[in-house]
Amino acid sequence: MTVRQRLEQLEQQQLSPYAAHSVSSKGRDFPELPCDIRPDYQRDRDRILHSKSFRRLKHKTQVFLAPEGDHYRTRLTHTLEVSQIARTIAKSLRLNEELTEAIALGHDLGHTPFGHSGEDVLNKICPEGFAHYEQSVRVVEKLEKNGIGLNLTWEVRDGIRNHRTSGKPSTLEGAIVRLSDKIAYINHDIDDAIRARLFVESDLPASYTDVLGHSVRERLNLMIHDIIQSSMDKPEIIMSPGMEEAMKGLRAWMFEHVYCSEIPKAEEAKAQQLIVFLYEYYCKYVDKLPEEYQVMMRQGEKKERVACDYIAGMSDRFAIDTFQELFVPKAWNV
């Protein structure tokens, strides 16, 4: 018996009957020989962690574009916080922690440079539209490893695709990530907004904080505990009605006072125009795209889709550097 088989046996013995067991996976698009030491979901987690798209998240905006200071969140630190919250919940409920972590680490791989402002402008200019959750699936299925993809299991891809608010994950592990994403960004965006001096803790509506808590630490603790207690030994991942209502209310308040406020939006128009320039340039000069993207076009992909893929994969810094290289005159020296 291999190490993997022993681990799969432990899953059967120890996990909840509602958990997604590795041996019951719907599998991969392209069958592979199983690993001798890692169950499938652990293998998927490792593939995501070692991918180029995961590394690029460290230089992608979360909320604040080009913030001054080292302590503001990036898309990578957000992803790690989602993973930590989701794993805590999954472990407490005896669900599959490795599947949960794989979904959490992969859920934002398709995010654009400049946060949701980048996503919004690509959705407007790309004929096929653009949504980061669909792009995350495209990254792992098509774009990683020079067009080969990561060949992840169906359950991981389903969780990535359905982490959005309107999503309906097919596994409880995916449902955990969907809620953990909201818990993470609401709380760390509050922390970043306070650091940016948009408001102070006492400015948050008491009707919400009296339920959720009066600090980031307290809110995380209460919300995580609430999900665990509400979901224990149930075939669903839920919050108590009062906690869920307060979380939705605080999220709506954040949209009004942070996500759409002057400081995060200050450079948005410039960032979006930069993306438009890059998109138009690469649609016109497709020979300037990296070779792996030209291969995709030779295989039948439309140039607009490929240009969108390339730009969406850029980090904020790389997008700015590319724009400067293409459109900003250089000093001339004799």
Side-chain angles (χ1 to χ4, degrees):
M1 181 180 292
T2 65
V3 173
R4 171 185 55 79
Q5 288 170 328
R6 287 200 296 269
L7 292 173
E8 289 171 346
Q9 277 192 351
L10 285 175
E11 285 185 6
Q12 299 284 3
Q13 295 166 6
Q14 297 176 358
L15 294 186
S16 163
Y18 304 119
H21 295 83
S22 300
V23 295
S24 301
S25 171
K26 293 183 179 180
R28 309 176 188 279
D29 282 348
F30 305 101
E32 299 178 14
L33 290 175
C35 178
D36 61 340
I37 59 174
R38 296 171 299 168
D40 279 347
Y41 300 140
Q42 181 182 347
R43 202 178 188 187
D44 284 358
R45 187 272 313 275
D46 295 349
R47 289 181 181 184
I48 292 168
L49 191 64
H50 291 293
S51 68
K52 292 189 296 184
S53 51
F54 183 80
R55 293 195 293 275
R56 288 196 298 266
L57 295 177
K58 67 180 177 180
H59 293 307
K60 291 196 177 191
T61 289
Q62 177 63 21
V63 173
F64 296 93
L65 299 183
E68 293 293 332
D70 293 333
H71 297 141
Y72 290 92
R73 269 71 171 190
T74 66
R75 190 63 60 179
L76 177 62
T77 57
H78 161 72
T79 294
L80 295 176
E81 290 183 36
V82 173
S83 177
Q84 179 270 322
I85 292 169
R87 286 180 58 199
T88 297
I89 296 170
K91 191 168 189 175
S92 299
L93 296 175
R94 294 189 299 119
L95 297 176
N96 196 311
E97 195 174 343
E98 288 166 348
L99 172 57
T100 305
E101 186 176 17
I103 296 170
L105 293 178
H107 82 281
D108 270 354
L109 291 180
H111 240 300
T112 61
F114 312 117
H116 285 285
S117 60
E119 179 178 14
D120 291 343
V121 71
L122 280 182
N123 186 45
K124 290 177 182 177
I125 63 178
C126 185
E128 298 178 7
F130 184 92
H132 80 273
Y133 51 88
E134 292 289 357
Q135 187 70 10
S136 294
V137 176
R138 184 169 168 82
V139 165
V140 300
E141 289 185 343
K142 177 75 175 177
L143 302 181
E144 268 292 333
K145 298 181 70 175
N146 297 325
I148 298 175
L150 300 180
N151 198 26
L152 304 181
T153 56
W154 182 90
E155 291 78 11
V156 173
R157 289 177 286 142
D158 172 80
I160 290 172
R161 176 176 282 112
N162 287 288
H163 79 271
R164 65 196 188 280
T165 299
S166 60
K168 296 181 179 180
S170 298
T171 64
L172 297 191
E173 289 81 0
I176 288 174
V177 174
R178 178 179 168 275
L179 267 181
S180 298
D181 184 33
K182 295 173 180 56
I183 292 172
Y185 74 66
I186 289 171
N187 283 289
H188 65 50
D189 292 349
I190 288 173
D191 192 34
D192 281 354
I194 290 173
R195 181 172 289 108
R197 299 177 182 173
L198 288 180
F199 54 79
V200 296
E201 174 70 33
S202 58
D203 291 331
L204 296 172
S207 57
Y208 306 137
T209 57
D210 285 348
V211 177
L212 300 172
H214 295 280
S215 69
V216 170
R217 180 179 180 180
E218 186 178 2
R219 281 187 289 273
L220 286 171
N221 186 56
L222 288 173
M223 295 168 85
I224 291 169
H225 274 77
D226 182 82
I227 292 173
I228 293 169
Q229 291 165 3
S230 301
S231 306
M232 187 66 71
D233 299 322
K234 295 178 182 176
E236 57 184 345
I237 303 299
I238 55 175
M239 301 180 81
S240 64
M243 188 71 71
E244 183 177 20
E245 184 179 355
M247 184 184 76
K248 289 180 178 178
L250 185 57
R251 181 175 179 268
W253 188 91
M254 287 290 290
F255 269 93
E256 181 179 354
H257 293 85
V258 176
Y259 306 132
C260 297
S261 68
E262 183 175 340
I263 292 180
K265 291 287 186 180
E267 301 298 304
E268 182 179 275
K270 295 178 185 177
Q272 291 187 331
Q273 191 59 52
L274 180 154
I275 287 177
V276 171
F277 277 129
L278 292 178
Y279 176 80
E280 292 176 346
Y281 176 85
Y282 286 114
C283 284
K284 185 175 182 180
Y285 303 105
V286 293
D287 59 307
K288 301 297 183 182
L289 287 164
E291 176 61 22
E292 59 263 36
Y293 293 91
Q294 296 188 44
V295 169
M296 290 168 59
M297 286 187 289
R298 291 197 289 270
Q299 293 174 342
E301 294 279 2
K302 296 179 181 178
K303 65 179 182 180
E304 293 84 2
R305 177 73 258 176
V306 173
C308 185
D309 287 335
Y310 182 48
I311 294 166
M314 293 179 175
S315 66
D316 295 24
R317 292 181 183 182
F318 186 75
I320 292 170
D321 290 345
T322 302
F323 177 84
Q324 290 177 331
E325 178 71 24
L326 294 176
F327 299 109
V328 178
K330 299 178 180 63
W332 181 77
N333 291 312
V334 177

